[in-house]
Amino acid sequence: MTQIIRKRRLHAMSPDEMARKACKVMNNRKMGALPVIDEDGKLLGMISERDIVRRCIGERRRTATTPISEVMTENPVFADPDDSVMVAMAKMMQNHIRHLPVVEDGRVVGCVSIRELIHELSYMAMKNLGIVDASLQRLEPEPA
């Protein structure tokens, strides 16, 4: 996971912020989900586009007045920075999720998407097949 998260800034939300703010951050950063953390960086949950659609819009709750803590997914599955891409992919597939927070020493240090893992696996496969040469740079997500 370290090779994927090391070059990106962590974007996360506080549980006390309103769902609308999460919508704005996800829209501006082109992200589908964000970790929800406390003041010490401890993972409390994940807030996703799907959470907002189902738990705000679907229940006719106003995103401007609904705290993230009321609509987030609690106790999310997470990865360790030392997990391989395959382990992270397996966790996502087993839990039917598309975003996986990365936690080190109890603190969130990053978050990876299924798209990033697919890019990394594709790069690894091309490299193993000899398709990748020195002129082709590693597939990396756009900086957020």
Side-chain angles (χ1 to χ4, degrees):
M1 300 290 71
T2 305
Q3 73 271 22
I4 298 173
I5 64 169
R6 70 173 176 233
K7 295 181 182 178
R8 277 192 295 128
R9 180 176 161 225
L10 173 64
H11 296 281
M13 303 301 300
S14 161
D16 300 326
E17 293 178 288
M18 297 302 126
R20 179 171 288 171
K21 184 170 182 184
C23 292
K24 287 180 180 181
V25 171
M26 286 188 282
N27 186 50
N28 291 340
R29 300 290 178 187
K30 297 181 176 123
M31 302 169 84
L34 295 162
V36 180
I37 61 175
D38 67 12
E39 58 277 351
D40 296 323
K42 181 183 172 196
L43 181 64
L44 301 175
M46 289 290 288
I47 183 73
S48 68
E49 296 166 327
R50 183 175 287 180
D51 291 329
I52 291 168
V53 167
R54 289 182 176 173
R55 298 180 187 140
C56 281
I57 297 167
E59 295 177 9
R60 297 185 183 268
R61 298 172 77 172
R62 297 176 54 92
T63 58
T65 58
T66 302
I68 289 172
S69 61
E70 293 181 13
V71 293
M72 71 182 185
T73 298
E74 295 179 336
N75 303 313
V77 174
F78 59 89
D80 182 85
D82 296 329
D83 284 349
S84 69
V85 172
M86 293 303 294
V87 167
M89 181 74 80
K91 286 180 181 183
M92 289 177 149
M93 292 171 61
Q94 289 168 352
N95 292 282
H96 308 286
I97 57 174
R98 291 178 262 181
H99 300 88
L100 188 65
V102 181
V103 177
E104 181 175 34
D105 298 325
R107 295 179 44 133
V108 177
V109 295
C111 189
V112 295
S113 71
I114 193 81
R115 178 177 293 152
E116 291 168 315
L117 296 182
I118 290 169
H119 282 180
E120 186 67 22
L121 287 171
S122 298
Y123 176 82
M124 291 164 52
M126 289 187 298
K127 188 174 178 181
N128 286 339
L129 292 171
I131 298 170
V132 176
D133 62 21
S135 65
L136 182 61
Q137 293 183 350
R138 184 177 205 92
L139 296 171
E140 295 186 14
E142 295 180 22

